[in-house]
Every structure is written in structure tokens, then in C-alpha cells.
């Protein structure tokens, strides 16, 4: 006899947010549902975004139309004996937990509590939406470090916060033939022949700590005489205001901005680079670490927040604001073959603890627990 599972109403962030990592999280999770929980029905309840291009349009959709849609969709799918479960896919939309019960929410970070870049009313509004996560039956976090932050900032009991680590898509991120990468990025492949390429993946906000990386690149080139180039995947550095620092450090010719590229291309770029530098001072998880490790690219990470929890023994860890130490570790992983090989081997072992199958299994177990009480 078929099991009558409750319907999961999945509430993603608006596409207009352009939060690449959260969009990837949604895609990876949905793909795994289809593989390991095919008998569960998951309904995407994202609203239309036609108003998003208008002044304050995104806020109107997020703060008013989205909660109304969550209530309406909940009522539509409500069934006798089992209520649908609302799963809010990002903490910044925690206010949706007040629109329908039972609900769960995934928290990816609490940066605006610990390292805020928002100010004034915008910061207050964000914290208010996030605080409404307290109404959820369970809060999923993507690391133990983040779980402790959630319990602290929202004053929640241990049992309400569940850790469900993100996974890594090893069908995309894996060692690939260098020839394949060179065919897709011929100029980068040619540059890699006579240079040491340091890869950085992500956006350019303050907590990503890019000034420390830029100074480390300058130190390697000027003080160590190494032909180091920085390969940047993500928003353009000069476009985000780093032009004056780049010019002052004299490393303009050492910056290769690739822009925002799809995951399959990121995996190919990893094959051509010599090290990942991820000096972020705060992360809820930090996908680039696992992406690099899955491609056997040695990682150098800041010793901050959850970085050691995610990177494990497959990385070296530097003092977050110490560019000289960062440069020393980058030089080591790029020029010391035994160290490089050890980190690559440890990285391959490390990623085995982060699978989307385990992530979805944890979600489903909580869904079942909630449904049993409904």
C-alpha cells in the first residue's frame, strides 16, 4: 500500500535576488528528491515576479504577495488527515513561516547578525524576517557552527535546530581531463603553462576578505618573485570598487576576471588552477571549498567561522587578516608537490561526508516527524 506522504510546499527565494548559491542549493535539493524520495510530492510555490523590476517591487512581492500565496497554496493542498508542510528555503524569507503551519526553514548563514553589511531600516527588516524563523517547527542549518549561532541569536532549544550539511555534486565537480578544460578556456590554459593560478570563487562583499587575498598576490609577485595570477569567478573586482587597490598594489596585469559562470565551467577552471584561496571571515557553509576538493584542487582557507568544519584536513588555514601567512601557504601548496598531493588526497576523503543524498534524507526524516504529530 502506498504511503500517503504530506505534500511539501517549497518556498524558494525570488529569482530577482540573484543569490547564486541559494539557487544552486534549490536545484541540487530538487534533483536529489527525484532520486532518493521520488514518492514525495514537492510543489514550488514561488510567486510571479512581474513587479520585481518596479521600484520597491521586489519588497512588495517578498513581504506581502509571497505570504498571501503561501497561505493560499497551503489551503489549496490541505488534505484531510495530513496538512502540507511549508519548507522555506532561505532564512531571509523567515517571515513566510508565519503564513502557514507546519513549516520548516533552511538557514544558510546569519551574516547580518555577526558581520552585517546592511544598515539602518534594511538591517532591522532583515533581522525581523529572520527572527520569524522561530515560528517554524524545525530550522535546518548547513553546519554545526551555524546551528550554535542560530540557537544563540534566536534563543532556541537544541532540539529545534537540525544540522543538514550541504552536499557536493560529484557529477559536475570531479577531476576532469585537462584537455577538456583547455578546449573550453584556451587562454587560461596557455596562461597556466608559465604561471601559478590562484582561484577565488564568490562575490566581493566585505566578509569575503578580498583585500587580504589581493595583498597576498602582490606579496607573492613582488617579494617572492613568483608568476602568480588571480583567477576570479564571480562579479568583476573593478566593478565592485577594487580598482584603486589593484592599481595601488601594482597587480592589474595579474587579475583574470571570468565573471559569473555556470558550475560546469567552474569545474573546468579548477582543472587549470593551482590553488583555491577562500579567505572569507564568515560563512554559513562555503561551497567553493568542496568544489575545489572534489576537483583535486588544494585549498587555502581562512581560519574563521565554519571553515575547518567544512574543509577538514583537506586545506591549510591562515589567520584571516594576515596576507603574508596566506601568501606563504599559497606558495607551499603550489610549489611543494608532497604537500599538494596530501591536501588533494585529504580533500577527496573529506567530500565523502557531504552528500545531497544525506541532506535530503535528513529533510525527509524531519518531514515524517512533523507529519506524525499533525
Amino acid at each position: 500500500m502506498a504511503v500517503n506522504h504530506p505534500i511539501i510546499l517549497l518556498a524558494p527565494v525570488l529569482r530577482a535576488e540573484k543569490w547564486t548559491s541559494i539557487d544552486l542549493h534549490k536545484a541540487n535539493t530538487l534533483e536529489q528528491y527525484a532520486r532518493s524520495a521520488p514518492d514525495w510530492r514537492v510543489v514550488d510555490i514561488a510567486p510571479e515576479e512581474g513587479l520585481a523590476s518596479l521600484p520597491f517591487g521586489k519588497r512588495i512581492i517578498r513581504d506581502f504577495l509571497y505570504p498571501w500565496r503561501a497561505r493560499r497554496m497551503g489551503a489549496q493542498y490541505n488534505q484531510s488527515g495530513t496538512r502540507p508542510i511549508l519548507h522555506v528555503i532561505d532564512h531571509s524569507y523567515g517571515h513566510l513561516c508565519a503564513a502557514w503551519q507546519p513549516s520548516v526553514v533552511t538557514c544558510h548563514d546569519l551574516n547580518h547578525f555577526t558581520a552585517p553589511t546592511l544598515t539602518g531600516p534594511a538591517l532591522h527588516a532583515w533581522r525581523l524576517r529572520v527572527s520569524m524563523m522561530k515560528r517554524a517547527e524545525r530550522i535546518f542549518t548547513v553546519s554545526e557552527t551555524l546551528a550554535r549561532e542560530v540557537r544563540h541569536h534566536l534563543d532556541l532549544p537544541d532540539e529545534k535546530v537540525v544540522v543538514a550539511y550541504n552536499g557536493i555534486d560529484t557529477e559536475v565537480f570531479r577531476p576532469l581531463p585537462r584537455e577538456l578544460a583547455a578546449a573550453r578556456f584556451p587562454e587560461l590554459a596557455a596562461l597556466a603553462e608559465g604561471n601559478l593560478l590562484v582561484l577565488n570563487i564568490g562575490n566581493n562583499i566585505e566578509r569575503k576578505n578580498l583585500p587580504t587575498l589581493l595583498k597576498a598576490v602582490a606579496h607573492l609577485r613582488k617579494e617572492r618573485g613568483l608568476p602568480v595570477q588571480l583567477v576570479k569567478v564571480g562579479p568583476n573586482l573593478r566593478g565592485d570598487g577594487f580598482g584603486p587597490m589593484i592599481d595601488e598594489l601594482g597587480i592589474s596585469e595579474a587579475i583574470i576576471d571570468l565573471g559569473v559562470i555556470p558550475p560546469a565551467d567552474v569545474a573546468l577552471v579548477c582543472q587549470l588552477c593551482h590553488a583555491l584561496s577562500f579567505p572569507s571571515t564568515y560563512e554559513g557553509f562555503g561551497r567553493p571549498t568542496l568544489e575545489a576538493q572534489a576537483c583535486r584542487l588544494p585549498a587555502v582557507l581562512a581560519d574563521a567561522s565554519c571553515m575547518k568544519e567544512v574543509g577538514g584536513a583537506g586545506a591549510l588555514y591562515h589567520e584571516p587578516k594576515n596576507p603574508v601567512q596566506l601568501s606563504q601557504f599559497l606558495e607551499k601548496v603550489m610549489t611543494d608537490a608532497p604537500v599538494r598531493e596530501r591536501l588533494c588526497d585529504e580533500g577527496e576523503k573529506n567530500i565523502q561526508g557531504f552528500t545531497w543524498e544525506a541532506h535530503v534524507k535528513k529533510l525527509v526524516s524531519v518531514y515524517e516527524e512533523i507529519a506524525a504529530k499533525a
Side-chain angles (χ1 to χ4, degrees):
M1 185 174 64
V3 178
N4 185 25
H5 296 303
I7 293 172
I8 306 303
L9 304 179
L10 191 68
V13 301
L14 301 178
R15 294 187 303 276
E17 301 283 11
K18 297 181 180 179
W19 293 343
T20 302
S21 62
I22 306 304
D23 292 339
L24 285 173
H25 174 91
K26 172 191 171 185
N28 292 144
T29 302
L30 286 175
E31 183 178 358
Q32 191 58 48
Y33 273 129
R35 291 178 177 178
S36 60
D39 54 340
W40 283 76
R41 186 178 179 190
V42 181
V43 179
D44 189 323
I45 66 166
E48 295 294 328
E49 297 188 32
L51 296 176
S53 60
L54 301 176
F56 305 106
K58 186 172 70 174
R59 294 184 188 177
I60 292 172
I61 298 171
R62 182 193 63 207
D63 297 344
F64 300 101
L65 297 184
Y66 211 156
W68 172 81
R69 180 169 175 79
R71 285 191 292 271
R72 186 170 69 86
M73 296 294 284
Q76 177 181 330
Y77 284 101
N78 196 16
Q79 300 172 359
S80 60
T82 176
R83 289 168 64 80
I85 298 172
L86 176 68
H87 187 159
V88 181
I89 209 167
D90 185 81
H91 54 282
S92 295
Y93 284 53
H95 62 294
L96 296 181
C97 295
W100 182 261
Q101 290 297 324
S103 65
V104 297
V105 59
T106 299
C107 181
H108 297 276
D109 62 61
L110 287 182
N111 60 301
H112 294 307
F113 278 112
T114 59
T117 53
L118 297 176
T119 59
L123 178 60
H124 176 74
W126 181 89
R127 289 181 173 174
L128 180 62
R129 295 197 308 274
V130 169
S131 68
M132 295 177 78
M133 288 195 302
K134 297 175 72 170
R135 301 196 181 196
E137 291 284 332
R138 292 290 187 277
I139 297 173
F140 296 109
T141 68
V142 292
S143 67
E144 291 282 0
T145 304
L146 181 57
R148 290 193 292 271
E149 291 180 43
V150 169
R151 289 192 290 264
H152 170 70
H153 289 292
L154 300 185
D155 191 24
L156 293 173
D158 290 355
E159 62 272 15
K160 193 160 186 174
V161 183
V162 178
V163 178
Y165 286 113
N166 286 333
I168 177 69
D169 186 349
T170 53
E171 292 184 4
V172 174
F173 292 97
R174 57 191 173 91
L176 295 166
R178 186 179 177 84
E179 296 76 17
L180 187 64
R184 178 69 181 88
F185 295 97
E187 293 182 0
L188 192 63
L191 195 64
E193 292 301 322
N195 295 274
L196 298 172
L197 306 187
V198 176
L199 176 63
N200 178 263
I201 304 170
N203 60 40
N204 304 326
I205 59 178
E206 184 177 355
R207 64 185 171 92
K208 299 299 181 178
N209 194 24
L210 292 177
T212 297
L213 175 55
L214 294 174
K215 291 174 185 177
V217 169
H219 182 85
L220 287 168
R221 289 172 63 86
K222 295 179 180 180
E223 303 301 325
R224 301 296 297 161
L226 295 174
V228 172
Q229 302 275 326
L230 175 61
V231 179
K232 183 70 176 67
V233 170
N236 185 278
L237 285 167
R238 287 188 177 274
D240 279 344
F242 284 93
M245 173 174 281
I246 291 170
D247 293 337
E248 182 181 349
L249 292 171
I251 56 173
S252 181
E253 71 281 5
I255 307 296
I256 301 101
D257 265 306
L258 296 182
V260 178
I261 58 178
D265 280 350
V266 175
L268 291 173
V269 169
C270 285
Q271 318 302 320
L272 300 173
C273 291
H274 300 89
L276 172 80
S277 175
F278 194 36
S280 181
T281 57
Y282 177 83
E283 294 292 327
F285 185 76
R287 291 176 65 111
T289 298
L290 297 187
E291 292 172 351
Q293 290 179 339
C295 294
R296 288 188 64 83
L297 181 66
V300 180
L301 315 175
D303 186 1
S305 65
C306 67
M307 304 295 262
K308 281 186 175 178
E309 182 183 347
V310 175
L316 297 182
Y317 300 88
H318 64 91
E319 296 174 6
K321 297 290 187 177
N322 190 332
V324 174
Q325 188 181 58
L326 171 55
S327 70
Q328 291 170 343
F329 287 176
L330 285 172
E331 180 176 355
K332 182 179 289 290
V333 302
M334 292 190 295
T335 62
D336 189 325
V339 170
R340 179 184 182 86
E341 194 68 15
R342 175 180 65 80
L343 289 176
C344 289
D345 290 344
E346 291 292 345
E348 278 194 324
K349 294 176 186 176
N350 184 62
I351 66 169
Q352 295 173 18
F354 300 91
T355 69
W356 288 112
E357 182 180 7
H359 179 87
V360 168
K361 185 178 180 180
K362 185 65 70 71
L363 302 187
V364 167
S365 69
V366 172
Y367 297 157
E368 291 174 336
E369 178 187 346
I370 293 172
K373 297 189 301 183

